[in-house]
Amino acid sequence: MTGTNWAGNVTWSARARHEPATLDELRRLVAGAERVRAVGTGHSFNRLGDTTGAQVSVAGLPPTVALDRDRGTVTVAGGLRYGDLATALYAEGYALANLASLPHISVAGAVATATHGSGPAHGNLATAVNALELVTADGDLLTVDRADPRFAGLVVHLGALGVVTRLTLDVVPAFEVRQYVRLGLPRAALDTALDAAYSVSAFTGWRSPRFDQVWLKQHADQPPPPADWLDTRAADTPHHPVPGMPAHNCTVQLGAPGPWHERLPHFRLGFTPSSGDELQSEWHLARSDAAAALAALDPVAGRIAAVLQVCELRTVAADGLWLSPNYERDTLAVHFTWVGDPAAVAPVLAEVEERLAPFAPRPHWGKLFDRDPAAAYPRHDDFRALLREFDPAGKFRTALLDRYFPRD
């Protein structure tokens, strides 16, 4: 079998790929496999999902979207993309509290890696999970919810505990959002800016002491930022975060009101997210360390800029999920969209990791990183115990999982 991840920087080692159409077919496949890994939309930049056995996609299972208005939840098929789920929810008058910057990713894959949106009051996408259903190593079907003491370890599972088929998510009433882009934010104003709207992202090319762009996503009934907001100026045309890329790929700006799912992401569902030809890394730091961490990177700003397309900074609220990069600390996420040249990026990535090391950075599990993150996760050993319980034979293990969560 040949195939690559979304970015094309990883060629899978899997011997076969399956897309079962029924739950029973999936259960038989998992039970009979020696090695198997679930694969989503492939928007990962490392080999965490690679396997020498078989890959299995749940995209072929029935596309469940079952709204429970009384409980304030929706149960969805794991292979569904967030953009498709959001469209269905909006039609019923409901919303998710948060969305990632691109709606192209699958629900199960995003949750498994604690992929996130932005906002000081909002947790990552996995924090919306109320319950999940998964096929375990022996082919059994298991459902767990927040009442299960293992739940906080099972939600962000890296594909290591089973194949997730359905998830139940918390929903809220649908809402309207306006999106504004401001230009030239002073570094000293970053902390204030990050608290200024429902969701905020600051973008820099590491070539200026000011942030190039700040994207403010706020409830439509809130007043727009004043003309002199934090010594910035208002963009009078739509912008793309990556210089030179078409703004048409991005969600609507300039303060035009629109549905939550058409404003909270940066990119539109029918268009290429980001630049397409890229590599990505992201580290999550305690928000209280933001100023010191950025200052630690300043001496290598020129090296970063030379291989960078754009760097995005955003906040994520603390949570209690064991392998979440936001576990028990409010977070500043520092995301790098690199050029698509692994050899040029690798030494700069290593330099960034070294300079961020004093701040106990937690990497996004689906991005490029090199240092062992175990020391930054207080519940690391507890998750290893779950691995022993759920997958004693290592059916779902990969080389990277063995590196970061060694067997006894």
Side-chain angles (χ1 to χ4, degrees):
M1 185 197 90
T2 58
T4 68
N5 62 343
W6 175 82
N9 68 305
V10 173
T11 299
W12 302 123
S13 304
R15 294 194 296 268
R17 179 186 171 107
H18 305 280
E19 190 171 302
T22 68
L23 183 58
D24 285 344
E25 184 183 352
L26 172 64
R27 292 177 64 183
R28 289 193 297 270
L29 190 155
V30 172
E34 181 180 357
R35 292 285 185 274
V36 65
R37 284 288 294 184
V39 62
T41 47
H43 203 272
S44 176
F45 294 82
N46 62 38
R47 290 191 172 276
L48 188 67
D50 199 11
T51 177
T52 56
Q55 287 182 336
V56 60
S57 167
V58 295
L61 298 181
T64 303
V65 179
L67 183 65
D68 188 328
R69 290 177 172 83
D70 293 334
R71 294 179 178 272
T73 62
V74 63
T75 299
V76 305
L80 208 63
R81 297 184 304 172
Y82 270 96
D84 299 319
L85 167 60
T87 300
L89 277 179
Y90 182 71
E92 297 293 333
Y94 285 87
L96 300 172
N98 207 354
L99 284 174
S101 60
L102 61 160
H104 309 66
I105 53 180
S106 69
V107 176
V111 165
T113 52
T115 294
H116 60 91
S118 171
H122 311 305
N124 64 53
L125 301 180
T127 62
V129 177
N130 187 292
L132 73 161
E133 174 188 274
L134 70 160
V135 175
T136 59
D138 55 8
D140 287 345
L141 192 64
L142 174 69
T143 299
V144 294
D145 60 22
R146 288 172 176 155
D148 192 310
R150 303 168 299 179
F151 182 78
L154 283 164
V155 177
V156 182
H157 56 85
L158 312 182
L161 304 177
V163 179
V164 171
T165 53
R166 299 197 304 176
L167 305 96
T168 300
L169 309 176
D170 297 331
V171 296
V172 298
F175 54 97
E176 300 283 296
V177 173
R178 297 179 191 267
Q179 181 168 224
Y180 300 91
V181 175
R182 306 290 301 199
L183 308 176
L185 179 77
R187 169 81 71 86
L190 175 64
D191 197 56
T192 301
L194 291 172
D195 285 327
Y198 189 91
S199 173
V200 180
S201 291
F203 295 94
T204 177
W206 285 96
R207 293 176 173 87
S208 166
R210 289 178 177 249
F211 290 94
D212 303 317
Q213 303 178 33
V214 180
W215 290 32
L216 303 170
K217 304 166 190 280
Q218 61 185 54
H219 281 290
D221 59 359
Q222 298 297 304
D228 60 349
W229 182 76
L230 297 181
D231 194 26
T232 64
R233 66 186 188 278
D236 56 10
T237 59
H239 279 59
H240 192 291
V242 179
M245 292 298 297
H248 184 67
N249 292 13
C250 299
T251 49
V252 174
Q253 303 161 28
L254 303 179
W260 60 280
H261 66 294
E262 295 180 359
R263 298 294 185 275
L264 292 183
H266 297 335
F267 305 106
R268 299 167 64 189
L269 182 61
F271 295 83
T272 300
S274 194
S275 74
D277 182 16
E278 65 199 72
L279 303 171
Q280 293 183 10
S281 298
E282 183 172 61
W283 291 274
H284 292 233
L285 316 165
R287 184 170 172 182
S288 57
D289 287 333
L294 295 179
L297 294 178
D298 281 338
V300 292
R303 294 190 64 198
I304 293 172
V307 292
L308 183 70
Q309 298 193 47
V310 73
C311 175
E312 178 182 6
L313 288 81
R314 50 189 167 178
T315 55
V316 190
D319 62 58
L321 305 176
W322 295 358
L323 290 190
S324 166
N326 320 116
Y327 179 76
E328 293 190 342
R329 70 184 189 191
D330 291 333
T331 295
L332 176 76
V334 185
H335 180 281
F336 295 88
T337 299
W338 308 108
V339 299
D341 184 344
V345 168
V348 181
L349 185 154
E351 181 79 17
V352 169
E353 282 195 315
E354 181 177 351
R355 290 183 171 272
L356 292 180
F359 307 101
R362 296 171 182 164
H364 186 302
W365 292 106
K367 312 291 186 182
L368 293 175
F369 61 94
D370 188 58
R371 293 192 174 212
D372 187 341
Y377 285 88
R379 304 301 295 270
H380 177 270
D381 287 344
D382 293 324
F383 187 76
R384 288 181 65 197
L386 278 184
L387 285 172
R388 291 192 294 272
E389 176 185 351
F390 277 78
D391 190 20
K395 178 173 290 191
F396 302 116
R397 278 189 170 269
T398 68
L400 274 186
L401 280 171
D402 283 343
R403 176 182 172 187
Y404 300 134
F405 300 93
R407 307 185 197 211
D408 294 331

